[in-house]
């Protein structure tokens, strides 16, 4: 038996859900679908969404020292162009132990890790 799901929604804890939802809205071009003080949902379509939940005491992981429990990957057609967009919107590039050329690691303004990939 499996779960009957309608949507898979990763949720990012953060101190300012409105601001973080705005960052990802601008980065991805998705639409804010749910707008509440403590919960925002950003949707691409009926099956793809990201939510942002109020967590005033959120502390980002330090990578690579602490590892990363989970992160978001976005497959993009051009890494250089995508990096410029992410940095212009307030992301920070993270340089770590990997020398891979097919992805780049960033932190969003709240400190969550995400990768831009060209795989």
């Amino acid at each position: 038996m499996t779960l009957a799901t309608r949507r898979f929604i990763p949720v990012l804890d953060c101190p300012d859900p409105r601001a973080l939802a705005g960052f990802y809205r601008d980065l991805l071009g998705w639409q804010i679908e749910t707008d509440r003080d403590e919960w925002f949902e950003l949707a691409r379509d009926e099956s793809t969404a990201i939510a942002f939940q109020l967590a005033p005491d959120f502390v980002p992981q330090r990578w690579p020292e602490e590892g990363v429990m989970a992160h978001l990957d976005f497959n993009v057609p051009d890494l250089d162009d995508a990096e410029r967009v992410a940095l212009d919107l307030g992301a920070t590039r993270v340089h770590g132990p990997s020398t891979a050329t097919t992805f780049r690691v960033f932190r969003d303004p709240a400190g969550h890790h995400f990768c831009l990939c060209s795989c």
Side-chain angles (χ1 to χ4, degrees):
M1 181 169 198
T2 61
L3 292 176
T5 60
R6 296 181 311 185
R7 181 184 266 184
F8 171 72
I9 306 175
V11 179
L12 299 179
D13 290 347
C14 57
D16 188 347
R18 179 183 309 275
L20 196 57
F23 168 79
Y24 281 101
R25 177 200 59 221
D26 294 346
L27 181 69
L28 302 171
W30 297 4
Q31 298 298 313
I32 292 180
E33 185 174 272
T34 302
D35 179 344
R36 295 191 294 245
D37 291 336
E38 297 185 4
W39 181 269
F40 283 75
E41 286 181 24
L42 188 65
R44 176 179 144 184
D45 53 37
E46 290 185 17
S47 66
T48 307
I50 304 171
F52 308 90
Q53 174 176 273
L54 179 63
D57 298 327
F58 171 77
V59 177
Q61 295 286 120
R62 291 181 321 194
W63 179 80
E65 300 86 17
E66 296 178 337
V68 175
M69 299 297 185
H71 68 277
L72 303 173
D73 280 357
F74 300 105
N75 196 318
V76 298
D78 185 301
L79 277 174
D80 292 332
D81 287 344
E83 178 172 346
R84 277 190 289 279
V85 170
L87 294 175
D88 286 348
L89 292 171
T92 304
R93 176 88 188 262
V94 178
H95 298 279
S98 175
T99 58
T101 59
T102 58
F103 70 91
R104 297 179 189 164
V105 181
F106 298 84
R107 282 184 182 269
D108 67 26
H112 301 95
H113 291 90
F114 70 94
C115 294
L116 299 175
C117 310
S118 66
C119 311

